[in-house]
Amino acid sequence: MAWTGGLFVAVPPHHTSQTCPACFYKSADNRKTQASFLCTHCGYAENADIGGAINVLHRGLDLREASNQ
Ligand SMILES: [Zn+2]
């Protein structure tokens, strides 16, 4: 990616809304409704859209670190 001179990270959006941003436990049961998120593992509660956005950010950072190795 160095030739672009910038930073671009492709993040697969699949199932991000089902993964807990606090403990990273992933389960369809975490997403009880469209608007709310409740982790069945640690009890973390969040607006589902915000939780998904946090997970996408984490994935992007992970991929960026992996590409630098
Ligand atoms: Zn959790």
Side-chain angles (χ1 to χ4, degrees):
M1 296 304 292
W3 56 270
T4 63
L7 174 64
F8 175 77
V9 179
V11 179
H14 313 296
H15 303 304
T16 54
S17 63
Q18 296 179 358
T19 304
C20 176
C23 73
F24 301 103
Y25 176 76
K26 187 174 88 172
S27 173
D29 290 337
N30 287 350
R31 189 70 177 276
K32 289 296 186 183
T33 69
Q34 184 69 24
S36 65
F37 178 96
L38 177 60
C39 179
T40 58
H41 181 70
C42 75
Y44 177 85
E46 182 60 273
N47 176 282
D49 291 334
I50 295 176
I54 292 172
N55 285 325
V56 169
L57 175 61
H58 281 308
R59 285 197 181 189
L61 293 175
D62 289 343
L63 289 172
R64 187 178 66 179
E65 289 181 3
S67 68
N68 288 337
Q69 293 175 355

Short mmCIF file of all heavy atoms in Angstrom, two decimals:
data_model
loop_
_atom_site.label_atom_id
_atom_site.label_comp_id
_atom_site.label_asym_id
_atom_site.label_seq_id
_atom_site.Cartn_x
_atom_site.Cartn_y
_atom_site.Cartn_z
N MET A 1 0.83 -1.21 0.00
CA MET A 1 0.00 0.00 0.00
C MET A 1 0.86 1.26 0.00
O MET A 1 0.36 2.36 -0.07
CB MET A 1 -0.89 0.01 1.25
CG MET A 1 -1.89 -1.14 1.29
SD MET A 1 -2.96 -1.20 -0.15
CE MET A 1 -3.92 0.32 0.12
N ALA A 2 2.17 1.12 0.10
CA ALA A 2 3.03 2.28 0.24
C ALA A 2 2.95 3.20 -0.97
O ALA A 2 3.07 4.40 -0.85
CB ALA A 2 4.47 1.83 0.45
N TRP A 3 2.67 2.63 -2.14
CA TRP A 3 2.68 3.44 -3.36
C TRP A 3 1.55 4.46 -3.41
O TRP A 3 1.59 5.41 -4.17
CB TRP A 3 2.64 2.54 -4.59
CG TRP A 3 1.46 1.59 -4.62
CD1 TRP A 3 1.42 0.35 -4.11
CD2 TRP A 3 0.17 1.85 -5.18
NE1 TRP A 3 0.18 -0.21 -4.31
CE2 TRP A 3 -0.59 0.69 -4.97
CE3 TRP A 3 -0.40 2.95 -5.85
CZ2 TRP A 3 -1.91 0.60 -5.39
CZ3 TRP A 3 -1.72 2.86 -6.27
CH2 TRP A 3 -2.46 1.69 -6.04
N THR A 4 0.54 4.28 -2.59
CA THR A 4 -0.56 5.24 -2.60
C THR A 4 -0.17 6.52 -1.87
O THR A 4 -0.75 7.57 -2.09
CB THR A 4 -1.80 4.66 -1.92
OG1 THR A 4 -1.49 4.40 -0.54
CG2 THR A 4 -2.23 3.37 -2.57
N GLY A 5 0.83 6.43 -0.99
CA GLY A 5 1.22 7.60 -0.22
C GLY A 5 0.22 7.95 0.86
O GLY A 5 0.34 8.99 1.50
N GLY A 6 -0.76 7.12 1.05
CA GLY A 6 -1.78 7.41 2.05
C GLY A 6 -2.14 6.17 2.82
O GLY A 6 -1.47 5.15 2.73
N LEU A 7 -3.18 6.28 3.58
CA LEU A 7 -3.61 5.15 4.38
C LEU A 7 -5.00 4.72 3.94
O LEU A 7 -5.95 5.50 3.98
CB LEU A 7 -3.63 5.53 5.86
CG LEU A 7 -4.21 4.46 6.79
CD1 LEU A 7 -3.35 3.21 6.76
CD2 LEU A 7 -4.31 5.01 8.20
N PHE A 8 -5.10 3.48 3.53
CA PHE A 8 -6.40 2.95 3.17
C PHE A 8 -6.53 1.57 3.77
O PHE A 8 -5.66 0.72 3.58
CB PHE A 8 -6.57 2.86 1.66
CG PHE A 8 -7.86 2.19 1.25
CD1 PHE A 8 -9.06 2.88 1.31
CD2 PHE A 8 -7.86 0.86 0.85
CE1 PHE A 8 -10.25 2.25 0.95
CE2 PHE A 8 -9.05 0.24 0.49
CZ PHE A 8 -10.24 0.95 0.54
N VAL A 9 -7.58 1.36 4.53
CA VAL A 9 -7.80 0.07 5.16
C VAL A 9 -9.20 -0.42 4.80
O VAL A 9 -10.18 0.26 5.09
CB VAL A 9 -7.66 0.14 6.68
CG1 VAL A 9 -7.92 -1.22 7.30
CG2 VAL A 9 -6.28 0.66 7.07
N ALA A 10 -9.26 -1.54 4.15
CA ALA A 10 -10.56 -2.12 3.82
C ALA A 10 -11.04 -2.97 4.99
O ALA A 10 -10.33 -3.87 5.43
CB ALA A 10 -10.45 -2.98 2.56
N VAL A 11 -12.21 -2.66 5.48
CA VAL A 11 -12.74 -3.38 6.64
C VAL A 11 -13.97 -4.17 6.25
O VAL A 11 -14.97 -3.58 5.87
CB VAL A 11 -13.10 -2.39 7.77
CG1 VAL A 11 -13.67 -3.15 8.95
CG2 VAL A 11 -11.88 -1.58 8.17
N PRO A 12 -13.89 -5.48 6.34
CA PRO A 12 -15.09 -6.28 6.08
C PRO A 12 -16.18 -5.95 7.09
O PRO A 12 -15.92 -6.04 8.30
CB PRO A 12 -14.61 -7.72 6.27
CG PRO A 12 -13.12 -7.66 6.15
CD PRO A 12 -12.73 -6.31 6.66
N PRO A 13 -17.35 -5.56 6.65
CA PRO A 13 -18.40 -5.12 7.57
C PRO A 13 -19.19 -6.25 8.19
O PRO A 13 -20.05 -6.02 9.04
CB PRO A 13 -19.31 -4.27 6.67
CG PRO A 13 -19.17 -4.92 5.34
CD PRO A 13 -17.74 -5.41 5.25
N HIS A 14 -18.90 -7.48 7.81
CA HIS A 14 -19.73 -8.60 8.22
C HIS A 14 -19.71 -8.81 9.74
O HIS A 14 -18.66 -8.91 10.34
CB HIS A 14 -19.26 -9.87 7.53
CG HIS A 14 -19.04 -9.70 6.06
ND1 HIS A 14 -20.06 -9.38 5.18
CD2 HIS A 14 -17.92 -9.75 5.32
CE1 HIS A 14 -19.56 -9.27 3.96
NE2 HIS A 14 -18.27 -9.48 4.01
N HIS A 15 -20.89 -8.89 10.31
CA HIS A 15 -21.06 -9.30 11.70
C HIS A 15 -20.45 -8.36 12.73
O HIS A 15 -20.31 -8.73 13.88
CB HIS A 15 -20.49 -10.71 11.93
CG HIS A 15 -21.10 -11.74 11.01
ND1 HIS A 15 -22.45 -11.96 10.93
CD2 HIS A 15 -20.52 -12.59 10.13
CE1 HIS A 15 -22.68 -12.91 10.04
NE2 HIS A 15 -21.52 -13.30 9.53
N THR A 16 -20.03 -7.17 12.31
CA THR A 16 -19.46 -6.26 13.29
C THR A 16 -20.48 -5.87 14.35
O THR A 16 -20.12 -5.60 15.49
CB THR A 16 -18.94 -4.99 12.62
OG1 THR A 16 -19.99 -4.43 11.86
CG2 THR A 16 -17.74 -5.29 11.75
N SER A 17 -21.76 -5.86 13.96
CA SER A 17 -22.78 -5.43 14.91
C SER A 17 -23.11 -6.52 15.92
O SER A 17 -23.87 -6.29 16.85
CB SER A 17 -24.06 -5.03 14.17
OG SER A 17 -24.60 -6.14 13.48
N GLN A 18 -22.51 -7.70 15.75
CA GLN A 18 -22.76 -8.80 16.69
C GLN A 18 -21.58 -9.04 17.62
O GLN A 18 -21.62 -9.93 18.45
CB GLN A 18 -23.06 -10.09 15.91
CG GLN A 18 -24.33 -9.99 15.08
CD GLN A 18 -24.58 -11.27 14.30
OE1 GLN A 18 -23.81 -12.21 14.34
NE2 GLN A 18 -25.70 -11.31 13.58
N THR A 19 -20.54 -8.23 17.48
CA THR A 19 -19.34 -8.41 18.30
C THR A 19 -19.29 -7.35 19.40
O THR A 19 -19.43 -6.16 19.13
CB THR A 19 -18.08 -8.32 17.44
OG1 THR A 19 -18.16 -9.27 16.40
CG2 THR A 19 -16.84 -8.57 18.28
N CYS A 20 -19.05 -7.79 20.62
CA CYS A 20 -18.96 -6.86 21.74
C CYS A 20 -17.68 -6.03 21.64
O CYS A 20 -16.59 -6.59 21.54
CB CYS A 20 -18.97 -7.63 23.05
SG CYS A 20 -18.75 -6.59 24.50
N PRO A 21 -17.79 -4.69 21.68
CA PRO A 21 -16.60 -3.86 21.59
C PRO A 21 -15.78 -3.86 22.88
O PRO A 21 -14.64 -3.41 22.91
CB PRO A 21 -17.16 -2.46 21.30
CG PRO A 21 -18.53 -2.49 21.87
CD PRO A 21 -19.02 -3.92 21.71
N ALA A 22 -16.35 -4.38 23.95
CA ALA A 22 -15.66 -4.39 25.24
C ALA A 22 -14.84 -5.67 25.43
O ALA A 22 -13.69 -5.64 25.84
CB ALA A 22 -16.65 -4.22 26.38
N CYS A 23 -15.44 -6.83 25.12
CA CYS A 23 -14.76 -8.10 25.36
C CYS A 23 -14.58 -8.90 24.07
O CYS A 23 -13.97 -9.97 24.09
CB CYS A 23 -15.54 -8.93 26.39
SG CYS A 23 -17.08 -9.63 25.77
N PHE A 24 -15.13 -8.40 22.95
CA PHE A 24 -14.98 -9.02 21.62
C PHE A 24 -15.68 -10.37 21.51
O PHE A 24 -15.39 -11.16 20.63
CB PHE A 24 -13.50 -9.17 21.24
CG PHE A 24 -12.78 -7.86 21.21
CD1 PHE A 24 -11.95 -7.50 22.26
CD2 PHE A 24 -12.97 -6.97 20.17
CE1 PHE A 24 -11.29 -6.28 22.24
CE2 PHE A 24 -12.32 -5.76 20.14
CZ PHE A 24 -11.48 -5.41 21.18
N TYR A 25 -16.61 -10.61 22.43
CA TYR A 25 -17.44 -11.80 22.31
C TYR A 25 -18.44 -11.59 21.19
O TYR A 25 -19.13 -10.58 21.16
CB TYR A 25 -18.16 -12.07 23.64
CG TYR A 25 -19.12 -13.23 23.59
CD1 TYR A 25 -18.65 -14.53 23.60
CD2 TYR A 25 -20.49 -13.01 23.55
CE1 TYR A 25 -19.53 -15.60 23.57
CE2 TYR A 25 -21.38 -14.07 23.52
CZ TYR A 25 -20.90 -15.36 23.52
OH TYR A 25 -21.78 -16.41 23.49
N LYS A 26 -18.49 -12.52 20.26
CA LYS A 26 -19.39 -12.38 19.12
C LYS A 26 -20.53 -13.38 19.19
O LYS A 26 -20.29 -14.57 19.32
CB LYS A 26 -18.63 -12.59 17.80
CG LYS A 26 -19.49 -12.29 16.58
CD LYS A 26 -18.70 -12.37 15.30
CE LYS A 26 -18.69 -13.79 14.76
NZ LYS A 26 -18.09 -13.87 13.42
N SER A 27 -21.74 -12.87 19.15
CA SER A 27 -22.90 -13.74 19.16
C SER A 27 -24.09 -12.99 18.59
O SER A 27 -24.26 -11.79 18.82
CB SER A 27 -23.23 -14.18 20.58
OG SER A 27 -24.46 -14.89 20.60
N ALA A 28 -24.91 -13.69 17.84
CA ALA A 28 -26.12 -13.09 17.32
C ALA A 28 -27.05 -12.68 18.45
O ALA A 28 -27.85 -11.76 18.32
CB ALA A 28 -26.84 -14.06 16.38
N ASP A 29 -26.89 -13.34 19.61
CA ASP A 29 -27.73 -13.03 20.76
C ASP A 29 -27.37 -11.67 21.35
O ASP A 29 -28.13 -11.12 22.15
CB ASP A 29 -27.58 -14.09 21.84
CG ASP A 29 -28.22 -15.40 21.41
OD1 ASP A 29 -29.12 -15.38 20.54
OD2 ASP A 29 -27.82 -16.45 21.94
N ASN A 30 -26.20 -11.14 21.01
CA ASN A 30 -25.83 -9.82 21.50
C ASN A 30 -26.73 -8.74 20.91
O ASN A 30 -26.90 -7.68 21.50
CB ASN A 30 -24.37 -9.51 21.12
CG ASN A 30 -23.38 -10.31 21.94
OD1 ASN A 30 -23.74 -10.95 22.92
ND2 ASN A 30 -22.12 -10.27 21.54
N ARG A 31 -27.24 -9.04 19.75
CA ARG A 31 -28.04 -8.04 19.02
C ARG A 31 -29.52 -8.42 19.13
O ARG A 31 -30.07 -9.07 18.24
CB ARG A 31 -27.60 -8.01 17.56
CG ARG A 31 -28.21 -6.86 16.77
CD ARG A 31 -27.65 -5.52 17.18
NE ARG A 31 -28.18 -4.46 16.36
CZ ARG A 31 -27.71 -4.10 15.17
NH1 ARG A 31 -26.70 -4.73 14.65
NH2 ARG A 31 -28.26 -3.11 14.52
N LYS A 32 -30.12 -8.03 20.26
CA LYS A 32 -31.50 -8.42 20.48
C LYS A 32 -32.46 -7.64 19.60
O LYS A 32 -33.48 -8.16 19.17
CB LYS A 32 -31.86 -8.20 21.96
CG LYS A 32 -31.18 -9.20 22.89
CD LYS A 32 -31.63 -10.63 22.62
CE LYS A 32 -31.05 -11.59 23.66
NZ LYS A 32 -31.43 -12.99 23.37
N THR A 33 -32.16 -6.37 19.38
CA THR A 33 -33.01 -5.55 18.53
C THR A 33 -32.15 -4.79 17.54
O THR A 33 -30.92 -4.77 17.63
CB THR A 33 -33.82 -4.53 19.37
OG1 THR A 33 -32.93 -3.55 19.90
CG2 THR A 33 -34.55 -5.22 20.50
N GLN A 34 -32.80 -4.13 16.60
CA GLN A 34 -32.07 -3.38 15.58
C GLN A 34 -31.30 -2.21 16.20
O GLN A 34 -30.22 -1.87 15.75
CB GLN A 34 -33.05 -2.85 14.53
CG GLN A 34 -32.38 -2.13 13.37
CD GLN A 34 -31.58 -3.09 12.50
OE1 GLN A 34 -31.85 -4.28 12.47
NE2 GLN A 34 -30.60 -2.56 11.79
N ALA A 35 -31.86 -1.62 17.26
CA ALA A 35 -31.30 -0.36 17.77
C ALA A 35 -30.40 -0.53 18.98
O ALA A 35 -29.64 0.38 19.31
CB ALA A 35 -32.44 0.59 18.13
N SER A 36 -30.47 -1.69 19.64
CA SER A 36 -29.70 -1.82 20.87
C SER A 36 -28.79 -3.04 20.85
O SER A 36 -29.06 -4.04 20.19
CB SER A 36 -30.65 -1.91 22.07
OG SER A 36 -31.41 -3.09 22.00
N PHE A 37 -27.71 -2.93 21.61
CA PHE A 37 -26.74 -4.01 21.72
C PHE A 37 -26.55 -4.35 23.19
O PHE A 37 -26.38 -3.47 24.02
CB PHE A 37 -25.41 -3.56 21.11
CG PHE A 37 -24.31 -4.58 21.22
CD1 PHE A 37 -24.04 -5.44 20.17
CD2 PHE A 37 -23.55 -4.70 22.37
CE1 PHE A 37 -23.03 -6.39 20.26
CE2 PHE A 37 -22.54 -5.64 22.47
CZ PHE A 37 -22.28 -6.49 21.42
N LEU A 38 -26.60 -5.63 23.50
CA LEU A 38 -26.34 -6.06 24.87
C LEU A 38 -25.51 -7.34 24.84
O LEU A 38 -25.97 -8.37 24.36
CB LEU A 38 -27.66 -6.29 25.63
CG LEU A 38 -27.49 -6.82 27.06
CD1 LEU A 38 -26.68 -5.83 27.92
CD2 LEU A 38 -28.84 -7.09 27.70
N CYS A 39 -24.28 -7.25 25.33
CA CYS A 39 -23.39 -8.41 25.30
C CYS A 39 -23.87 -9.45 26.30
O CYS A 39 -24.06 -9.15 27.48
CB CYS A 39 -21.97 -7.98 25.63
SG CYS A 39 -20.81 -9.37 25.63
N THR A 40 -24.05 -10.68 25.82
CA THR A 40 -24.51 -11.75 26.70
C THR A 40 -23.35 -12.31 27.52
O THR A 40 -23.55 -13.11 28.41
CB THR A 40 -25.15 -12.89 25.89
OG1 THR A 40 -24.19 -13.38 24.95
CG2 THR A 40 -26.38 -12.38 25.14
N HIS A 41 -22.13 -11.88 27.22
CA HIS A 41 -20.95 -12.39 27.92
C HIS A 41 -20.54 -11.48 29.08
O HIS A 41 -20.35 -11.93 30.20
CB HIS A 41 -19.80 -12.55 26.94
CG HIS A 41 -18.54 -13.09 27.58
ND1 HIS A 41 -18.43 -14.38 28.02
CD2 HIS A 41 -17.36 -12.49 27.86
CE1 HIS A 41 -17.23 -14.56 28.54
NE2 HIS A 41 -16.56 -13.43 28.47
N CYS A 42 -20.39 -10.18 28.81
CA CYS A 42 -19.91 -9.26 29.84
C CYS A 42 -20.97 -8.24 30.26
O CYS A 42 -20.77 -7.50 31.21
CB CYS A 42 -18.65 -8.54 29.37
SG CYS A 42 -18.95 -7.25 28.14
N GLY A 43 -22.09 -8.21 29.54
CA GLY A 43 -23.15 -7.31 29.92
C GLY A 43 -23.01 -5.91 29.36
O GLY A 43 -23.80 -5.02 29.69
N TYR A 44 -22.03 -5.68 28.51
CA TYR A 44 -21.84 -4.36 27.91
C TYR A 44 -23.06 -3.99 27.07
O TYR A 44 -23.51 -4.78 26.24
CB TYR A 44 -20.59 -4.37 27.03
CG TYR A 44 -20.34 -3.08 26.31
CD1 TYR A 44 -19.66 -2.04 26.93
CD2 TYR A 44 -20.77 -2.91 25.00
CE1 TYR A 44 -19.41 -0.85 26.27
CE2 TYR A 44 -20.54 -1.72 24.32
CZ TYR A 44 -19.85 -0.70 24.97
OH TYR A 44 -19.63 0.48 24.31
N ALA A 45 -23.58 -2.79 27.30
CA ALA A 45 -24.75 -2.33 26.57
C ALA A 45 -24.40 -1.07 25.79
O ALA A 45 -23.70 -0.20 26.29
CB ALA A 45 -25.90 -2.05 27.52
N GLU A 46 -24.90 -1.00 24.56
CA GLU A 46 -24.57 0.15 23.73
C GLU A 46 -25.58 0.25 22.60
O GLU A 46 -26.23 -0.72 22.24
CB GLU A 46 -23.15 -0.04 23.14
CG GLU A 46 -22.67 1.10 22.29
CD GLU A 46 -22.62 2.40 23.05
OE1 GLU A 46 -23.66 3.10 23.10
OE2 GLU A 46 -21.56 2.73 23.62
N ASN A 47 -25.69 1.47 22.07
CA ASN A 47 -26.43 1.62 20.82
C ASN A 47 -25.75 0.76 19.76
O ASN A 47 -24.53 0.81 19.61
CB ASN A 47 -26.42 3.09 20.40
CG ASN A 47 -27.10 3.28 19.04
OD1 ASN A 47 -26.50 3.01 18.01
ND2 ASN A 47 -28.32 3.73 19.06
N ALA A 48 -26.53 -0.03 19.04
CA ALA A 48 -25.94 -1.01 18.13
C ALA A 48 -25.09 -0.35 17.05
O ALA A 48 -24.06 -0.89 16.65
CB ALA A 48 -27.05 -1.84 17.50
N ASP A 49 -25.52 0.78 16.56
CA ASP A 49 -24.76 1.44 15.50
C ASP A 49 -23.41 1.91 16.00
O ASP A 49 -22.40 1.83 15.31
CB ASP A 49 -25.55 2.62 14.95
CG ASP A 49 -26.78 2.17 14.18
OD1 ASP A 49 -26.75 1.03 13.66
OD2 ASP A 49 -27.75 2.93 14.10
N ILE A 50 -23.37 2.41 17.23
CA ILE A 50 -22.10 2.87 17.80
C ILE A 50 -21.19 1.67 18.04
O ILE A 50 -20.00 1.70 17.73
CB ILE A 50 -22.34 3.63 19.12
CG1 ILE A 50 -23.12 4.92 18.83
CG2 ILE A 50 -21.02 3.93 19.82
CD1 ILE A 50 -23.49 5.70 20.08
N GLY A 51 -21.73 0.59 18.57
CA GLY A 51 -20.92 -0.60 18.81
C GLY A 51 -20.32 -1.12 17.52
O GLY A 51 -19.15 -1.48 17.47
N GLY A 52 -21.11 -1.14 16.45
CA GLY A 52 -20.61 -1.60 15.17
C GLY A 52 -19.50 -0.70 14.66
O GLY A 52 -18.49 -1.17 14.13
N ALA A 53 -19.66 0.60 14.85
CA ALA A 53 -18.64 1.55 14.39
C ALA A 53 -17.34 1.35 15.15
O ALA A 53 -16.25 1.43 14.58
CB ALA A 53 -19.14 2.98 14.57
N ILE A 54 -17.43 1.10 16.45
CA ILE A 54 -16.24 0.86 17.26
C ILE A 54 -15.53 -0.39 16.77
O ILE A 54 -14.31 -0.43 16.63
CB ILE A 54 -16.61 0.72 18.75
CG1 ILE A 54 -17.10 2.07 19.27
CG2 ILE A 54 -15.40 0.24 19.56
CD1 ILE A 54 -17.68 2.00 20.68
N ASN A 55 -16.30 -1.42 16.46
CA ASN A 55 -15.70 -2.66 16.00
C ASN A 55 -15.02 -2.47 14.65
O ASN A 55 -13.95 -3.03 14.40
CB ASN A 55 -16.77 -3.75 15.89
CG ASN A 55 -17.16 -4.28 17.26
OD1 ASN A 55 -16.34 -4.37 18.15
ND2 ASN A 55 -18.42 -4.62 17.42
N VAL A 56 -15.64 -1.69 13.78
CA VAL A 56 -15.02 -1.42 12.48
C VAL A 56 -13.70 -0.70 12.67
O VAL A 56 -12.71 -0.99 12.01
CB VAL A 56 -15.97 -0.59 11.59
CG1 VAL A 56 -15.24 -0.09 10.34
CG2 VAL A 56 -17.18 -1.43 11.18
N LEU A 57 -13.66 0.23 13.62
CA LEU A 57 -12.43 0.95 13.90
C LEU A 57 -11.35 0.00 14.40
O LEU A 57 -10.21 0.04 13.95
CB LEU A 57 -12.70 2.03 14.96
CG LEU A 57 -11.44 2.78 15.45
CD1 LEU A 57 -10.77 3.51 14.29
CD2 LEU A 57 -11.82 3.76 16.55
N HIS A 58 -11.71 -0.89 15.31
CA HIS A 58 -10.74 -1.85 15.84
C HIS A 58 -10.20 -2.73 14.72
O HIS A 58 -9.02 -3.00 14.63
CB HIS A 58 -11.39 -2.73 16.92
CG HIS A 58 -11.50 -2.05 18.25
ND1 HIS A 58 -10.43 -1.46 18.87
CD2 HIS A 58 -12.57 -1.86 19.07
CE1 HIS A 58 -10.84 -0.94 20.02
NE2 HIS A 58 -12.13 -1.17 20.15
N ARG A 59 -11.08 -3.17 13.85
CA ARG A 59 -10.64 -4.04 12.75
C ARG A 59 -9.68 -3.28 11.83
O ARG A 59 -8.69 -3.83 11.37
CB ARG A 59 -11.86 -4.51 11.94
CG ARG A 59 -12.68 -5.57 12.63
CD ARG A 59 -13.58 -6.27 11.64
NE ARG A 59 -14.40 -7.28 12.30
CZ ARG A 59 -15.15 -8.16 11.64
NH1 ARG A 59 -15.19 -8.12 10.32
NH2 ARG A 59 -15.87 -9.05 12.28
N GLY A 60 -9.98 -2.03 11.57
CA GLY A 60 -9.13 -1.24 10.71
C GLY A 60 -7.74 -1.10 11.32
O GLY A 60 -6.72 -1.23 10.63
N LEU A 61 -7.67 -0.85 12.62
CA LEU A 61 -6.39 -0.70 13.29
C LEU A 61 -5.63 -2.01 13.28
O LEU A 61 -4.41 -2.04 13.09
CB LEU A 61 -6.60 -0.22 14.73
CG LEU A 61 -7.16 1.21 14.85
CD1 LEU A 61 -7.45 1.53 16.31
CD2 LEU A 61 -6.20 2.23 14.26
N ASP A 62 -6.33 -3.12 13.49
CA ASP A 62 -5.68 -4.42 13.47
C ASP A 62 -5.09 -4.71 12.09
O ASP A 62 -3.96 -5.19 11.98
CB ASP A 62 -6.69 -5.52 13.84
CG ASP A 62 -7.06 -5.47 15.32
OD1 ASP A 62 -6.33 -4.83 16.09
OD2 ASP A 62 -8.07 -6.08 15.68
N LEU A 63 -5.84 -4.42 11.05
CA LEU A 63 -5.37 -4.69 9.70
C LEU A 63 -4.17 -3.80 9.35
O LEU A 63 -3.24 -4.23 8.70
CB LEU A 63 -6.51 -4.44 8.69
CG LEU A 63 -7.63 -5.47 8.73
CD1 LEU A 63 -8.78 -5.02 7.84
CD2 LEU A 63 -7.13 -6.83 8.26
N ARG A 64 -4.20 -2.55 9.84
CA ARG A 64 -3.11 -1.65 9.56
C ARG A 64 -1.82 -2.14 10.21
O ARG A 64 -0.76 -2.14 9.61
CB ARG A 64 -3.44 -0.24 10.05
CG ARG A 64 -2.39 0.80 9.63
CD ARG A 64 -2.76 2.18 10.08
NE ARG A 64 -2.74 2.27 11.54
CZ ARG A 64 -3.02 3.39 12.21
NH1 ARG A 64 -3.37 4.46 11.56
NH2 ARG A 64 -2.97 3.41 13.51
N GLU A 65 -1.95 -2.61 11.46
CA GLU A 65 -0.78 -3.13 12.17
C GLU A 65 -0.24 -4.36 11.46
O GLU A 65 0.96 -4.54 11.31
CB GLU A 65 -1.14 -3.46 13.62
CG GLU A 65 -1.38 -2.21 14.45
CD GLU A 65 -1.70 -2.58 15.89
OE1 GLU A 65 -1.67 -3.78 16.22
OE2 GLU A 65 -1.97 -1.66 16.68
N ALA A 66 -1.13 -5.23 11.00
CA ALA A 66 -0.71 -6.45 10.33
C ALA A 66 0.01 -6.13 9.02
O ALA A 66 0.98 -6.79 8.67
CB ALA A 66 -1.93 -7.32 10.05
N SER A 67 -0.42 -5.08 8.32
CA SER A 67 0.17 -4.75 7.03
C SER A 67 1.55 -4.13 7.20
O SER A 67 2.35 -4.10 6.26
CB SER A 67 -0.74 -3.80 6.27
OG SER A 67 -0.78 -2.53 6.91
N ASN A 68 1.85 -3.65 8.39
CA ASN A 68 3.16 -3.02 8.63
C ASN A 68 4.22 -4.03 9.02
O ASN A 68 5.39 -3.68 9.13
CB ASN A 68 3.04 -1.96 9.74
CG ASN A 68 2.29 -0.73 9.25
OD1 ASN A 68 2.24 -0.47 8.04
ND2 ASN A 68 1.73 0.03 10.16
N GLN A 69 3.80 -5.26 9.24
CA GLN A 69 4.77 -6.25 9.69
C GLN A 69 5.47 -6.92 8.52
O GLN A 69 4.96 -6.91 7.43
CB GLN A 69 4.07 -7.32 10.54
CG GLN A 69 3.56 -6.74 11.85
CD GLN A 69 2.76 -7.77 12.67
OE1 GLN A 69 2.53 -8.87 12.19
NE2 GLN A 69 2.34 -7.38 13.85
ZN ZN B 1 -18.89 -8.18 26.07
#
